[in-house]
Amino acid sequence: MSPSYREATINSVDANPTAGGSTGGGRDESGNPYFYPGVSVSIGYWFDNEGVPSSNWDTIFTAKLFINGSLVDTKQVLAGGGPQTYSFFTHTFPEPGTYAVEVRGKNTKSLTVTIKNPPVEPKRAAR
């Protein structure tokens, strides 16, 4: 039997530093996360398993990552255990700015990702 592909029903989306980029950002005064240019960011999403058990290797859920309206990546994932599955894209934003990030499947969930330059540390005089 050949696999069937379904567009994923996206339940939620978030952004976090990818495991080696944990020092690549912070939170602003309002508690909103930001990241630095060139740091790998994980764009995570939960999708509905639609009753497909994790033992089903024939149903693959597809999600697409769009940044500022442009397709950046496509991911195909098998259902996990439970009612929903978590997966993620990784993306490195090249320069400071505010980016509209969308994960699309049957529906679209979006968030805004802010990229800021890292703080400049004062130079110390050599002794």
Side-chain angles (χ1 to χ4, degrees), residues 56-93:
N56 180 333
W57 290 71
D58 295 321
T59 304
I60 298 168
F61 293 92
T62 301
K64 296 179 179 183
L65 176 65
F66 285 78
I67 297 177
N68 291 341
S70 296
L71 177 64
V72 174
D73 199 1
T74 299
K75 192 127 205 172
Q76 296 177 329
V77 180
L78 294 168
Q84 57 182 343
T85 297
Y86 183 80
S87 189
F88 64 93
F89 296 95
T90 57
H91 185 74
T92 302
F93 295 88

Side-chain angles (χ1 to χ4, degrees), residues 104-119:
R104 298 180 188 176
K106 285 183 181 176
N107 61 329
T108 299
K109 293 290 182 176
S110 60
L111 67 123
T112 300
V113 173
T114 302
I115 306 299
K116 296 182 178 184
N117 280 322

